[in-house]
Every structure is written in C-alpha cells, then in structure tokens.
Amino acid sequence: MVDNEAILQLQARIGSEHLSKRLQRQTEHSALRFTPRGLEIHWENIEKLGTTLKVLLKACGLFGRATRNSMDYKVETVKVPLRGLPPSFRGFRILHLSDLHLESILDRGRRLREVIGSLSYDLCVITGDFRFHTYGDYEETIARMAELTTAIHCPHGILGILGNHDFIEMVPGLEKHGLQMLLNESVPIHRGKDTMWIVGLDDTNYYGTDDLAKALRHVPAEATKILLAHSPEIIESACEAGMDYYLCGHSHGGQMCLPGGISIINNSHCGRQYIAGPWNYQNRMPGYTSRGTGASLLPVRLFCPPEITLHHLV
Ligand SMILES: [Fe+2]
C-alpha cells in the first residue's frame, strides 16, 4: 500500500482539490449507484456477470476460442497526417497500449512482451486501465507492469494516464518502474530542433477528474499537441482546445462483438464512430480509439481482437 509521504507528494503535485475529489469518488465507486445522472451501473464490478458470461460461452462452445483470442494480439499500424507537424517529427512512431487490465492476462504477459519486443518505436503511451478490477489491491498490477516494462524500449520513454479501473495511489508504484504518469499534466518531447507536447488527463470516464485547461497551462498555443485521454468522451472540448491528435481507449471496441466487430456494449457515452479505430472529428481533429490490449470482466474476446497500435506521424 502507498505510504503517507507518497500521498503528500501527490497532493503537492496535483493540488488537494483534485486529490480529494479522486479519493472520494474512488470510495464511492460501487456496482450500482443512484446519481444526478440516474442509475449508474458498473458492469465490471458485478462479479456474477463474469461467471454468467463464462457459463454462456461454455454452453455455446465458444469459451476456448474466446480465451485464445484474448492473447491473439493484432498490431495495427496507423499513418497519421498531422497538420503543422514539425519537420523533425516526420516519421515519429508512437506505441499505444490501452486497457491492459494486467492481472487478467492468462500467460502473465509473455506473448504480449514477445510482440512488443519485435516492434520499433520512439515513444510508448498507455491510455489507462492498468488494473483488472476497479477496487481492491493493486500490488499485483504494479508487479505485472514492472514485468511488461522489460519489453518496452524507446528513446522517449513511457507516458501513461489513469483509467476508471485505476486508483490514484497506483501512481508512485508505476512511476517507480519507469513510467511517467500525466495527471492533468503535459510533457514536451524534443527531437532535432523541434518540440511537440503530450498532454495527459486523469480519468475522463467515471471519475471526471480530467482538467484539460490545467493540463495545458505550460503548453504554447501554437505547439503540436497530442492528447492522452482514457475514453473518447471529451472529443468536442479537446477539439475546441486545439488538440492535434486524440488517443484513447476504454471502449474495448465492445470486446465481445457480433461478426464484423459490431459492438453490443461499449461503456462509452459517444457516437459509434468513436468506439474503435481511427476517426476525424468534424475534419478538424483526428483521433484513434484503441480496442484495448487486455480484457475486462473475463479474459475473453470475440470478433474484436486485442490490439497494439503503432501511430506513424507524417
Ligand atoms: Fe478498460
């Protein structure tokens, strides 16, 4: 568990208002709540749902296939034309992982490390949901992330943000293993004579502790800015704030889909066009929603393979 000193350091870094809101909502996070928005159901917290899904898949003869699918990683390569990209960043490659839900990976990440180890990239970003559950311990999550970092090698390091499965107390442990977590913060990336910025938000989905204005406070208005947000739910405000590219996950692309990748449930309050893959909001801001590298509820996937994304900036 995290010590008081680490909490005080977090408080000094992000402010007591952000920290107390986060901690309060973490305490409130439960399977079913009445809120001003109505009844909030957190499917991932309903343990019996996982058991029911397992029974259903077994009854249909699909459990073995769905389980194997959860580690059949597909590397998606995306060419990203960015307006105003500084010349030194042409050809810059970003490895994008999302929704790892580390403790549920059946082979403890062996296959994932193999696939990542075969790739070349300049920067790695992880758009939240490191942990499998949304509550309880996170020591195993941190231990598994430490193992995964042994396969990630790139000159500009690993940047991460928190998702709705992650507690803010996980930040010191993740950073101890080489990640730089962005909590409504930004970091400049220098290459050649040029600079671009990676802007990272706290969870945009459940916790609502994202603060884009705060994250942008040190970023020059004219700079190239790539946003890391856990979910695709703040596209409009991100576009208005002048983001050049929006990277997210959270939806898992539906995870258990109908043939053709048609999602049944995606847990996101946004249009279907933003649930998975590349999109372009009003032809003003391109973005990409990862189907996720891991799986929620159970390590199973149907018609929606887990993905490792390589973004090539051009
Ligand atoms: Fe997730």
Side-chain angles (χ1 to χ4, degrees):
M1 282 292 164
V2 72
D3 56 33
N4 280 343
E5 182 58 32
I7 287 287
L8 287 172
Q9 283 175 11
L10 267 178
Q11 184 172 317
R13 174 172 158 189
I14 67 173
S16 52
E17 190 183 336
H18 179 177
L19 183 62
S20 55
K21 183 178 178 187
R22 226 325 171 144
L23 292 173
Q24 186 189 342
R25 295 220 75 189
Q26 286 178 187
T27 309
E28 292 167 356
H29 205 301
S30 57
L32 194 135
R33 290 194 326 123
F34 288 97
T35 74
R37 285 194 297 182
L39 184 63
E40 281 186 357
I41 299 172
H42 299 286
W43 302 100
E44 65 279 3
N45 279 0
I46 305 173
E47 302 251 352
K48 284 201 171 88
L49 206 58
T51 312
T52 308
L53 179 60
K54 189 173 184 176
V55 169
L56 275 173
L57 285 168
K58 283 193 168 177
C60 300
L62 289 169
F63 183 68
R65 177 179 159 191
T67 302
R68 286 191 297 278
N69 287 349
S70 74
M71 290 184 294
D72 189 11
Y73 302 102
K74 185 150 192 249
V75 177
E76 303 281 6
T77 303
V78 192
K79 274 219 159 86
V80 190
L82 287 190
R83 262 193 303 251
L85 183 71
S88 306
F89 284 95
R90 286 179 198 150
F92 193 81
R93 299 155 302 173
I94 301 174
L95 172 73
H96 177 196
L97 307 173
S98 193
D99 300 86
L100 286 158
H101 298 293
L102 286 154
E103 309 94 296
S104 72
I105 300 178
L106 293 169
D107 67 350
R108 218 186 154 90
R110 184 187 57 79
R111 176 69 190 140
L112 181 56
R113 291 194 297 274
E114 273 174 15
V115 178
I116 291 173
S118 69
L119 304 173
S120 299
Y121 43 90
D122 301 291
L123 167 72
C124 173
V125 300
I126 305 177
T127 48
D129 276 7
F130 293 84
R131 183 166 64 170
F132 181 56
H133 287 297
T134 56
Y135 56 86
D137 292 344
Y138 42 81
E139 279 76 8
E140 181 63 15
T141 318
I142 308 282
R144 297 254 189 145
M145 191 61 225
E147 289 172 12
L148 186 57
T149 58
T150 62
I152 302 175
H153 303 287
C154 53
H156 295 278
I158 310 170
L159 300 176
I161 57 168
L162 297 173
N164 61 305
H165 281 241
D166 304 316
F167 277 2
I168 201 161
E169 296 95 317
M170 291 162 58
V171 168
L174 291 169
E175 294 196 329
K176 193 174 137 197
H177 293 292
L179 282 78
Q180 181 176 359
M181 299 299 293
L182 300 176
L183 302 162
N184 299 328
E185 295 164 315
S186 301
V187 63
I189 306 285
H190 305 289
R191 201 184 203 213
K193 287 187 255 169
D194 297 317
T195 301
M196 72 171 182
W197 288 74
I198 308 294
V199 181
L201 298 181
D202 195 3
D203 176 43
T204 44
N205 176 257
Y206 177 73
Y207 291 109
T209 36
D210 53 297
D211 187 336
L212 189 49
K214 187 179 173 193
L216 284 169
R217 64 198 185 281
H218 301 304
V219 183
E222 70 283 2
T224 295
K225 300 177 275 295
I226 296 180
L227 180 68
L228 310 182
H230 179 55
S231 69
E233 291 162 319
I234 59 149
I235 290 172
E236 189 178 345
S237 53
C239 182
E240 293 309 320
M243 291 301 119
D244 295 291
Y245 194 35
Y246 186 124
L247 297 179
C248 62
H250 178 67
S251 69
H252 294 209
Q255 191 173 316
M256 300 295 291
C257 290
L258 299 172
I262 300 164
S263 64
I264 305 161
I265 295 174
N266 56 57
N267 265 343
S268 304
H269 304 282
C270 62
R272 287 189 81 87
Q273 68 270 40
Y274 304 115
I275 294 305
W279 41 264
N280 197 331
Y281 178 72
Q282 297 183 344
N283 282 323
R284 293 164 64 203
M285 182 187 68
Y288 191 94
T289 308
S290 167
R291 293 188 305 270
T293 315
S296 188
L297 207 61
L298 266 187
V300 289
R301 281 184 175 264
L302 270 184
F303 302 108
C304 184
E307 90 172 71
I308 294 165
T309 324
L310 277 176
H311 303 269
H312 285 223
L313 308 188
V314 293

